Amino acid sequence: DYDLEFATLTERLRTDMVVVHHTGNLADDDLSAEQIHFVHLGNGWSGIGYHFVIRKNGIIEQGRPIEMIGSHAYGDNWHTIGVHLCGNFEYVEPTPAQIESAAYLIGWICETYNIPTHRIVGHRDLMATACPGKYLYEQMDTLRGKAAWYMKHYANGYYEE
């Protein structure tokens, strides 16, 4: 457990979309939220721009506080939550654990903020970029479908079978 220190952040007043990202580095890396935070600080930014990071093993790590405006989708940060999956999905597939964790997390976000699943988008849907990579982008409908399933199976904020 760690506490990330941020420069000035602004509270997000509206939340109506989830934006899915990948690392996209040449190396198919598995950077922690803390590692990404320090890279982003080194770029002169306020800190990690994504709200959540999903590691190759499916572990979900918190990045930027969820109630704050992110820095992950230029022009759309003010109303979106950024979910980052570690890896370069132009070259490799996301792990099954990443897809399942992303669907669970995104389902929870959509349930919490009353976001319809058609508002779960890849970064490339908002601007000219390869992100979230072709292999993850090909699974966006799967992510939406699994997120919708999880939304129907939450009780008191937790998944129940």
Side-chain angles (χ1 to χ4, degrees):
D1 214 347
Y2 57 88
D3 292 315
L4 301 179
E5 300 276 334
F6 289 87
T8 304
L9 297 177
T10 304
E11 189 172 352
R12 193 179 53 258
L13 301 178
R14 177 172 148 198
T15 307
D16 63 4
M17 185 180 288
V18 178
V19 184
V20 177
H21 300 268
H22 76 148
T23 310
N25 292 338
L26 288 178
D28 180 40
D29 55 44
D30 189 26
L31 299 174
S32 69
E34 188 173 31
Q35 289 170 309
I36 295 169
H37 180 68
F38 288 117
V39 169
H40 287 186
L41 282 173
N43 290 342
W45 304 340
S46 295
I48 186 169
Y50 311 109
H51 296 94
F52 295 96
V53 172
I54 302 177
R55 307 290 298 276
K56 295 275 190 188
N57 63 5
I59 296 291
I60 299 168
E61 297 179 353
Q62 185 169 351
R64 189 166 291 209
I66 193 168
E67 70 278 4
M68 297 300 178
I69 293 175
S71 182
H72 59 91
Y74 184 77
D76 285 289
N77 291 311
W78 63 277
H79 67 104
T80 61
I81 291 178
V83 175
H84 169 90
L85 282 70
C86 294
N88 186 333
F89 304 124
E90 281 295 303
Y91 305 111
V92 300
E93 298 257 350
T95 67
Q98 282 179 302
I99 294 297
E100 208 59 41
S101 290
Y104 181 84
L105 172 65
I106 292 168
W108 174 81
I109 292 167
C110 289
E111 180 76 12
T112 301
Y113 289 95
N114 197 29
I115 301 170
T117 56
H118 72 272
R119 302 280 294 168
I120 302 166
V121 301
H123 189 191
R124 69 169 64 176
D125 293 321
L126 302 176
M127 61 186 298
T129 176
C131 185
K134 71 179 181 179
Y135 292 113
L136 178 52
Y137 194 74
E138 287 172 356
Q139 295 193 50
M140 289 300 295
D141 284 338
T142 298
L143 263 181
R144 288 182 196 100
K146 285 177 171 281
W149 187 89
Y150 279 119
M151 288 169 67
K152 290 181 178 146
H153 293 84
Y154 286 121
N156 301 317
Y158 297 95
Y159 166 68
E160 290 188 359
E161 289 193 62

